Amino acid sequence: MVTRKEKRNREKEANYFFEFLKIQKHFFKDLMNNLKKVADHRHQSYITYGPEVLLFTMMLKNMTGLKSMRNMSESFNKEECIKNVGKVLGLDSLEELPHYDTINDFLSGLDVNELEKIRTYMIKELLN
C-alpha cells in the first residue's frame, strides 16, 4: 500500500501536461486540426491568435482546475508554457498566450455548433 508521503512524491514527479498529450495523441489524433477549423467571428484585421490557440488555452485552464480567467492569464504567462503550447499546436512562433479578454471576445461570438462538431469528433474517436 502506498503511503500519503509516497503519493505526494509521485505527484511531484508527474508531468500532467505530458500525460495529457499522450492521451490526446492516442485517442484524439486530429484534435488540433479540428480546433483550427473552428470558424472565427472576429474581424480579420484584429486577429492575432487562431481559434486553436484560444480553445487550447481554455482546455488547459479547465484541465488545470483554474477557476478564473484572470488567474489563467497570470498562471500561463510563462516562457515554458508559451513554448509548449506553440509546440503542441505546431506553430512556428508564439510570443504570448492570449489575454482573457481576447478569449472572452472569441467565446462570446462562437457558434455552439462549432463546439458540438469537436465533441462529436471526440466521442466518435473514443467509440472506434
Side-chain angles (χ1 to χ4, degrees):
M1 187 149 127
V2 178
T3 66
R4 289 182 294 169
K5 184 176 182 178
E6 289 172 337
K7 186 176 177 182
R8 284 193 306 273
N9 287 336
R10 286 184 186 173
E11 286 180 3
K12 285 180 189 176
E13 295 170 5
N15 183 337
Y16 294 110
F17 186 72
F18 178 71
E19 294 300 321
F20 163 73
L21 292 180
K22 284 188 347 187
I23 292 168
Q24 181 261 312
K25 286 182 181 182
H26 181 76
F27 292 105
F28 312 113
K29 294 172 184 73
D30 208 29
L31 178 62
M32 298 310 155
N33 287 329
N34 281 301
L35 295 179
K36 289 177 184 178
K37 293 177 186 174
V38 170
D40 195 339
H41 72 285
R42 300 173 297 159
H43 192 278
Q44 295 301 307
S45 66
Y46 298 121
I47 294 177
T48 304
Y49 306 101
E52 73 276 14
V53 176
L54 300 163
L55 292 170
F56 189 73
T57 303
M58 283 303 299
M59 288 172 64
L60 285 178
K61 173 196 171 283
N62 293 328
M63 285 185 291
T64 57
L66 296 173
K67 300 293 182 201
S68 73
M69 296 293 279
R70 180 172 284 134
N71 195 346
M72 175 196 67
S73 286
E74 292 169 2
S75 298
F76 293 166
N77 192 21
K78 295 175 176 45
E79 290 296 322
E80 183 180 13
C81 186
I82 295 167
K83 190 170 105 178
N84 285 336
V85 170
K87 273 186 187 178
V88 169
L89 296 174
L91 301 173
D92 293 332
S93 67
L94 182 65
E95 295 179 19
E96 294 288 332
L97 288 177
H99 189 270
Y100 64 87
D101 285 334
T102 303
I103 295 173
N104 282 336
D105 179 48
F106 173 77
L107 293 175
S108 68
L110 183 62
D111 183 359
V112 176
N113 292 323
E114 296 286 337
L115 296 178
E116 285 290 325
K117 289 178 196 173
I118 293 172
R119 186 177 70 127
T120 301
Y121 155 76
M122 293 176 82
I123 291 169
K124 286 180 179 178
E125 289 298 305
L126 287 174
L127 294 175
N128 286 334

